[in-house]
Amino acid sequence: MATSERNNKILLDLVQQPGNNLCADCGAPDPDWASYTLGIFVCLNCSGMHRNLPAVSKVKSIRLDHWEDSLFMQEKGNSAAKAIFEKCVPVFFYQPQQKDCIVLKDQWIRAKYERREFTGENIYFQKVYSAGNYPQLFEATLWKKGKDSKQFFKSTFLLSQKDFTLRYFIKEDSKVPKAVINMKDLNAVFQPEKIGHATGLQISYVDDERSKNLFVYHEDGQVRASSQIYAACSFPSHIHRLTAHCLKEGYMEKTGPTQREPFKKRWFTLCSMNRKLLYFKSPLDATELGAVFIGTESHGYSVSETSSRNARGSRWCCGISLETPERQFVFMCEQEQEQSEWIMAFRKVISQPMTPEDYSSRNLLSRVLLKCINFAPLVVKHS
């Protein structure tokens, strides 16, 4: 057997071993690329980011490329590399997964191999990640989408460790912040495709009992990532909230409580964290139009497919029926795949036991509902 073929066979055997069978950087199964300078196995997507670090990492396909030697890969491997490059990763530091966006994975890879932040050998990073050594106030200039405009404007953001708040100012010389957001009410998720920028971030929070969104980006991905690193260091008890993804979002058509109203196209977001289905007029709207609380099956909630007949004004034909103790909601999807994905997402929320926080959230929605003139049971509608 030729040397190259023998080495490829060895590599294919190595990648099946525990530790090597998942991408060293994002955990994707069945990696088929390897960094022959770091001795790790990575997936196709992460291999592309390693190519951007030629001074640190050089990659080859373990199936298609010519391998003259495999000894280094045999001596190293993912577990050995993690013991070096992830030796001192703070417990609160978010480690990207396969589903996460490129900017998160890219900065994770750069932090590990290019900046060697977690090896424990750099005193500066040890101080940064040690409790009490991070700045009390962190300032960043981000481009923020205007509330009623498609344009983005420069805004100043201040992240305070002292009172656990995020403030932002829309004018450079402004002394009064446009908003003061408590970290316990905040969630931040990278949304590059939605915002149209590689470092796009959606910041969601609750204000006056309504969900609101800020859409921002930074011109420099490195600085943008530093902001997130600081957030992780400063607010370890809230970092899980800073990386919570919604279960499902996208367009559906909805009708009113009598189901005789015309269907209207709306952008929906479903999150298991607060068990709410929020809807907006468009994906980049700053404020929700309404919210639906979703409980458990034992509380009278269920979801199923429904017929498109009598769907007045609906252009789409894949129906969803969401049953609650108070009323039935009917939504229409454009395609069967979307219908199936929404139903799976609803059922996932319904199957989760309710927490004390969920009961409080449900009661809060009920109280807000009583203040609304035009409403339907357990739907808080603002416009």
Side-chain angles (χ1 to χ4, degrees):
M1 181 184 294
T3 301
S4 178
E5 292 181 2
R6 183 167 59 250
N7 285 328
N8 281 98
K9 185 178 185 303
I10 291 173
L11 291 168
L12 290 174
D13 289 338
L14 285 174
V15 80
Q16 300 299 320
Q17 295 179 5
N20 293 338
N21 62 338
L22 300 176
C23 174
D25 297 319
C26 75
D30 305 320
D32 52 8
W33 287 75
S35 170
Y36 58 89
T37 54
L38 296 173
I40 58 174
F41 294 91
V42 296
C43 67
L44 175 62
N45 288 333
C46 289
S47 73
M49 285 168 262
H50 277 263
R51 290 184 186 277
N52 294 327
L53 307 175
V56 177
S57 181
K58 298 183 184 297
V59 295
K60 285 183 180 180
S61 168
I62 63 175
R63 300 179 184 276
L64 304 177
D65 288 329
H66 177 77
W67 286 77
E68 295 180 353
D69 184 25
S70 62
L71 182 60
F72 184 71
M73 296 299 300
Q74 295 179 60
E75 294 174 344
K76 299 296 181 179
N78 290 1
S79 297
K82 285 178 180 291
I84 298 173
F85 297 106
E86 299 182 21
K87 179 182 178 181
C88 300
V89 179
V91 294
F92 50 77
F93 194 98
Y94 181 70
Q95 301 181 31
Q97 305 300 309
Q98 180 184 6
K99 64 182 180 180
D100 286 312
C101 66
I102 291 177
V103 67
L104 271 178
K105 289 187 279 190
D106 179 69
Q107 289 303 317
W108 167 241
I109 290 170
R110 288 181 181 275
K112 283 203 297 182
Y113 309 118
E114 185 178 52
R115 300 193 292 269
R116 299 174 70 94
E117 293 185 16
F118 314 121
T119 60
E121 61 193 19
N122 190 308
I123 296 177
Y124 169 76
F125 289 118
Q126 289 186 54
K127 289 183 177 180
V128 168
Y129 291 127
S130 297
N133 288 323
Y134 40 79
Q136 293 291 303
L137 191 67
F138 182 84
E139 179 177 338
T141 300
L142 305 176
W143 288 87
K144 173 189 167 293
K145 180 184 175 296
K147 180 180 179 181
D148 301 312
S149 170
K150 294 182 179 180
Q151 291 183 298
F152 284 76
F153 305 91
K154 275 190 176 181
S155 299
T156 301
F157 285 75
L158 294 177
L159 192 60
S160 172
Q161 187 272 336
K162 184 178 180 180
D163 57 6
F164 293 91
T165 60
L166 175 68
R167 293 172 166 84
Y168 74 93
F169 303 78
I170 58 176
K171 294 183 179 180
E172 188 174 347
D173 58 349
S174 178
K175 302 296 183 181
V176 180
K178 179 67 174 177
V180 179
I181 307 170
N182 194 311
M183 288 297 295
K184 69 180 180 61
D185 298 322
L186 182 151
N187 182 58
V189 177
F190 278 96
Q191 294 275 21
E193 294 182 2
K194 188 175 182 179
I195 295 173
H197 195 281
T199 60
L201 186 75
Q202 177 176 335
I203 301 173
S204 302
Y205 63 101
V206 178
D207 179 40
D208 193 25
E209 301 173 343
R210 298 174 68 182
S211 295
K212 295 187 177 182
N213 296 318
L214 301 177
F215 301 98
V216 301
Y217 70 84
H218 200 291
E219 292 178 328
D220 183 350
Q222 184 99 355
V223 177
R224 183 65 196 85
S226 298
S227 300
Q228 193 211 23
I229 290 173
Y230 173 78
C233 294
S234 300
F235 307 99
S237 63
H238 296 295
I239 190 60
H240 68 285
R241 298 179 65 85
L242 296 180
T243 56
H245 292 263
C246 62
L247 280 178
K248 174 70 177 171
E249 65 176 358
Y251 279 113
M252 289 193 293
E253 292 184 332
K254 67 174 290 292
T255 185
T258 67
Q259 298 182 21
R260 291 192 296 270
E261 299 88 347
F263 277 80
K264 295 181 180 180
K265 184 179 178 181
R266 293 289 183 259
W267 179 266
F268 287 84
T269 297
L270 176 63
C271 182
S272 61
M273 179 184 297
N274 56 19
R275 309 185 74 104
K276 289 181 183 178
L277 177 69
L278 306 177
Y279 67 90
F280 306 81
K281 191 172 182 179
S282 68
L284 297 182
D285 275 3
T287 307
E288 67 175 61
L289 294 179
V292 182
F293 181 85
I294 301 175
T296 65
E297 186 175 3
S298 61
H299 290 89
Y301 294 82
S302 64
V303 64
S304 61
E305 295 182 16
T306 187
S307 171
S308 62
R309 290 179 297 178
N310 301 323
R312 180 182 176 188
S314 174
R315 297 173 298 166
W316 297 343
C317 59
C318 302
I320 296 175
S321 172
L322 176 64
E323 298 284 350
T324 76
E326 288 78 16
R327 60 164 283 193
Q328 177 193 52
F329 299 92
V330 177
F331 309 109
M332 303 302 294
C333 300
E334 186 175 15
Q335 299 177 352
E336 289 184 0
Q337 180 177 349
E338 283 287 307
Q339 177 193 46
S340 177
E341 290 175 357
W342 274 110
I343 289 176
M344 288 179 61
F346 281 127
R347 286 176 177 168
K348 185 172 182 179
V349 176
I350 292 172
S351 67
Q352 295 175 350
M354 285 177 59
T355 65
E357 291 78 9
D358 293 332
Y359 284 103
S360 298
S361 178
R362 183 182 189 277
N363 293 336
L364 177 60
L365 275 179
S366 297
R367 290 196 298 270
V368 176
L369 175 150
L370 296 176
K371 301 177 184 178
C372 300
I373 298 175
N374 183 20
F375 70 94
L378 271 193
V379 182
V380 178
K381 182 178 180 181
H382 303 287
S383 62

